[in-house]
Amino acid sequence: MNTTETASSSERVVEAGPSRDTARKRFPTDGLRRALAFRNVSALYLLALMTAVFALWVPDTFLTSGTWRSLLSDQAVTCLVAVGLVIPTAAGVIDLAIGAEVGLGAILVARLLVGHVPVPIAILLALLAGAAVGLFSWLMITRARIPSFIATLAISSLLAATTAWISHSQQIVNLPAGYGKLGTGQLLGITYPVYITLAVALLLWYLLEHTPTGRHIHATGGKPDAMGGNSDAAALAGVRVSRVVLGALVTSGAVAGLAGLLLTSQLSTGDPTVGPGYLLPVIAAVFLGSTQFRGGRFNIWGTVLAAYTLAVGVKGLQLAGLPVWIPDLFNGTALLAAVGLAAWRRPPMSRREALRRLVRNNSTTAWADRRARRSELLARAVPVPSERVVEGDPSRDTARKRFPTDGLRRALAFRNVSALYLLALMTAVFALWVPDTFLTSGTWRSLLSDQAVTCLVAVGLVIPTAAGVIDLAIGAEVGLGAILVARLLVGHVPVPIAILLALLAGAAVGLFSWLMITRARIPSFIATLAISSLLAATTAWISHSQQIVNLPTAYGKLGTGQLLGITYPVYITLAVALLLWYLLEHTPTGRHIHATGGNAQAATLVGIRPGRIILFALVTSGAVAGLAGLLLTSQLSTGDPTVGPGYLLPVIAAVFLGSTQFRGGRFNIWGTVLAAYTLAVGVKGLQLAGLPVWIPDLFNGTALLAAVGLAAWRRTPTARTSGRGRPWRPRSGTPQPK
């Protein structure tokens, strides 16, 4: 090997290199030090710290054997769900329906058992139901091309409706006495769910770490800079990515169903409300577990350690007598810390590698490559000459003369204004179904007024969504604004100052979200999901988990006062929509927002600062959500701490369905307004028809899936729209036969 080859292969171990031999002799315990480093087993040190703190704080209750046995048993279900969630997360799928899957398994097995179905068959059907949910999620993600976090968010709403339908929104009691032994029976003082969780963890650990399937899962979900692979590279290497995702989701769904039936066995009742509470702690455990043992890779034993570490924190705080909102605060903080720690956990770069990268990135070749890349991106941003109208092109002149109504046909095409046709269809259906209540002027006025808050929130959410940010905290921001203005008003704060503080609070939440996304490098949907938990805790703290009443009478006029028969919130929503429409469509800031959401890298190369754009988008959205919250409090004449989260699904559905209207697949204001009221008409009509209370969840989940699927379909031209299906129409730039 010559000198050039030796220099170029600096990553290899050179046998004759005395420096390496000396280093090996000097540090014989390097492996042990790395294994015990804080970056590798931080959860162990955190667990030891919390144990010491609570041992000094509440020694009489925390240090008892009963507390630790109950902690081990009670946390088994959460740990089991987290272990199952590792598989799809390692495959690159974010499953926000995992809590609803647990709830479905819990309520389904209870319904089957009280229906005198044998226990083994009931357990098998619950597992199959979880696997079926995974199959449906796979269809939505891979076939309908819906992003996984949006698809599973919508599916969670469908599962909530299904759970309410199965249980009739009531607890299911009088289960067979023998079934309770599955969740409460003990072996050596430890309940059976702990052993079941251990068995599932061992099985999935072997699958992930010692089989080709596990390698395919990591290759599918890995990042090029973190784990050496991604789905495209995996597909090129022969991995069948779709099958890997299918297996991951089906496995996770079956494990969630198992966790649900164990939970029902522990509680001896089927509770339709238990599932969603598992979402935050489970995701926090998975992401915190990725920082343990395996160097930033999702793994089983790191997740088990993280789940019990978080459980010790929550248990200790509860034993210390802290309020009931503490788990929300702790879980949200833990999720932010876990994902931020996962980003920080990436292996450090050696000094030699840093110098090599510095030289490589500043070489003449690197500069030339960057200039070429910049020119390519700029060329993509500028319309190519073939798209411009050539005055002397006879084919264009002929086409214009032949089809003078092309613009009108495109404007009225179903692909462009599908919500209008859907609105007309639903109006006709409900007019025939419930004409006595649906066709009254009072119904439509109340619909217009009641939907104003939802429409306002959706209009505000358009801005960050157009900038490429998914804000799952938008509902919690509405709840914060609603409860904060109520608390200030009963504290005798003047109305203008209370309104201003509520708006500033919403803007501050947007600022905090920006810090987590851009500075802590946490993906927007994970960051805002954690922030929604923090806001839920904050709302419960401000309101003491109770409604705030006795608001000033004059404040109610803001939400209920009328002008020309229309309440003030409708006019406020219209004014905000006009302002944001002008901002998006007629200012450089609007163009920068769309450019950032379309391609942040290209936007940076043309001089746009994506960080500032995202900050502006999130602060604007937060302020609008705060405005919606204070209008909601004015309408209700009370501050309700539970109203915020219900806005999440209909608002996201309106934004994505609105992107298919008017602007050819681009997020826009008026399409969102049309979509919001179209969805509201559907929900209102179904309620007037006397259908059950879970119908809105079902309708909103279906609408979100349809909206995002339609948006994906809207961006892909068909053969007909591209001209291949219309041979009689001449194409531009194509010479016509004489």
Side-chain angles (χ1 to χ4, degrees), residues 25 60 172 177 239 277 283 294 360 364 384 410 538 610:
K25 293 177 181 178
D60 296 336
I172 300 176
V239 177
I283 291 182
R294 300 295 295 171
R360 184 171 63 248
T364 306
V384 295
R410 282 194 297 269
T538 305

Side-chain angles (χ1 to χ4, degrees), residues 634-677:
S634 180
Q635 287 180 333
L636 300 175
S637 296
T638 183
D640 191 341
T642 65
V643 295
Y647 284 90
L648 179 61
L649 258 297
V651 162
I652 291 182
V655 170
F656 277 92
L657 179 58
S659 69
T660 67
Q661 311 299 305
F662 305 140
R663 300 295 296 171
R666 194 170 72 174
F667 296 104
N668 65 94
I669 297 298
W670 300 122
T672 300
V673 172
L674 172 62
Y677 277 102

Side-chain angles (χ1 to χ4, degrees), residues 69 72-77 80 178-200 258 261-263 265-266 308:
R69 280 200 302 270
L72 191 64
S73 301
D74 296 343
Q75 191 64 13
V77 171
L80 178 60
Y179 182 70
K181 295 181 180 179
L182 180 63
T184 58
Q186 293 186 0
L187 176 64
L188 302 178
I190 305 298
T191 57
Y192 294 154
V194 177
Y195 295 103
I196 295 173
T197 299
L198 180 61
V200 173
L258 175 62
L261 64 90
L262 289 177
L263 181 62
S265 179
Q266 286 180 334
Y308 277 102

Side-chain angles (χ1 to χ4, degrees), residues 499-639:
I499 292 175
L500 178 61
L501 291 177
L503 296 178
L504 290 177
V509 173
L511 174 62
F512 182 67
S513 300
W514 172 77
L515 289 173
M516 294 297 101
I517 293 168
T518 61
R519 295 300 182 262
R521 297 179 296 169
I522 301 174
S524 61
F525 55 91
I526 293 294
T528 53
L529 180 65
I531 290 171
S532 69
S533 182
L534 298 181
L535 294 180
T538 305
T539 301
W541 169 61
I542 294 174
S543 64
H544 307 295
S545 300
Q546 296 177 351
Q547 290 187 347
I548 300 176
V549 295
N550 299 324
L551 303 185
T553 305
Y555 181 70
K557 295 181 180 179
L558 180 63
T560 58
Q562 294 186 358
L563 176 64
L564 302 177
I566 304 298
T567 56
Y568 294 153
V570 178
Y571 296 102
I572 295 173
T573 299
L574 181 61
V576 173
L578 281 169
L579 178 62
L580 296 183
W581 165 77
Y582 184 82
L583 172 73
L584 270 183
E585 304 296 337
H586 297 283
T587 65
T589 300
R591 292 190 290 274
H592 293 175
I593 288 172
H594 284 299
T596 301
N599 190 327
Q601 182 182 8
T604 302
L605 291 175
V606 297
I608 298 172
R609 296 184 176 181
R612 292 188 178 183
I613 294 298
I614 293 174
L615 172 62
F616 171 79
L618 287 170
V619 168
T620 301
S621 175
V624 172
L627 175 61
L630 63 92
L631 288 176
L632 181 62
T633 294
S634 180
Q635 287 180 333
L636 300 175
S637 296
T638 183

Side-chain angles (χ1 to χ4, degrees), residues 198-525:
L198 180 61
V200 173
L202 281 169
L203 178 62
L204 296 183
W205 164 76
Y206 184 81
L207 172 71
L208 270 184
E209 304 297 338
H210 297 283
T211 66
T213 300
R215 292 191 291 273
H216 292 174
I217 289 173
H218 284 300
T220 299
K223 296 181 180 180
D225 59 344
M227 289 172 261
N230 56 29
S231 59
D232 294 334
L236 291 174
V239 177
R240 296 188 176 182
V241 173
S242 180
R243 290 190 179 183
V244 169
V245 173
L246 172 60
L249 287 170
V250 168
T251 301
S252 175
V255 173
L258 175 62
L261 64 90
L262 289 177
L263 181 62
T264 295
S265 179
Q266 286 180 334
L267 300 176
S268 296
T269 183
D271 191 341
T273 65
V274 294
Y278 284 90
L279 179 61
L280 257 297
V282 162
I283 291 182
V286 171
F287 277 91
L288 180 57
S290 69
T291 66
Q292 310 299 306
F293 305 140
R294 300 295 295 171
R297 193 168 72 175
F298 296 106
N299 65 94
I300 298 298
W301 300 122
T303 300
V304 172
L305 172 62
Y308 277 102
T309 299
L310 297 176
V312 168
V314 172
K315 188 72 171 180
L317 293 172
Q318 289 175 340
L319 291 176
L322 296 186
V324 294
W325 47 263
I326 283 296
D328 284 333
L329 179 64
F330 188 83
N331 289 328
T333 305
L335 181 54
L336 290 176
V339 185
L341 187 62
W344 173 76
R345 177 61 184 80
R346 294 176 182 176
M349 189 185 305
S350 65
R351 183 176 299 178
R352 177 182 296 180
E353 178 62 22
L355 291 174
R356 290 177 65 246
R357 183 170 295 186
L358 179 64
V359 173
R360 184 171 63 248
N361 290 341
N362 289 277
S363 64
T364 306
T365 303
W367 291 343
D369 291 341
R370 282 197 291 270
R371 284 195 296 269
R373 178 63 176 164
R374 187 180 296 111
S375 300
E376 178 186 355
L377 292 172
L378 288 173
R380 293 179 183 177
V382 178
V384 295
S386 61
E387 298 294 330
R388 297 174 183 171
V389 177
V390 181
E391 296 297 333
D393 190 348
S395 63
R396 284 187 177 270
D397 296 337
T398 305
R400 287 174 179 171
K401 293 177 182 178
R402 185 174 299 175
F403 298 100
T405 60
D406 274 357
L408 181 61
R409 287 195 298 108
R410 282 194 297 269
L412 296 179
F414 179 81
R415 290 167 64 93
N416 198 48
V417 288
S418 57
L420 280 177
Y421 296 105
L422 179 60
L423 179 61
L425 175 63
M426 290 191 302
T427 302
V429 169
F430 294 127
L432 297 174
W433 193 356
V434 282
D436 296 336
T437 53
F438 184 75
L439 292 180
T440 63
S441 60
T443 296
W444 286 89
R445 280 200 302 269
S446 68
L447 179 66
L448 190 64
S449 300
D450 296 343
Q451 191 64 14
V453 171
T454 303
C455 186
L456 179 61
V457 180
V459 163
L461 189 61
V462 169
I463 307 300
T465 310
V469 175
I470 301 297
D471 188 359
L472 299 182
I474 192 71
E477 293 172 19
V478 174
L480 177 65
I483 209 68
L484 180 60
V485 74
R487 175 58 64 192
L488 292 172
L489 290 174
V490 298
H492 306 292
V493 175
V495 172
I497 296 178
I499 292 175
L500 178 61
L501 291 177
L503 296 178
L504 290 177
V509 173
L511 174 62
F512 182 67
S513 300
W514 172 77
L515 289 173
M516 294 297 101
I517 293 168
T518 61
R519 295 300 182 262
R521 297 179 296 169
I522 301 174
S524 61
F525 55 91

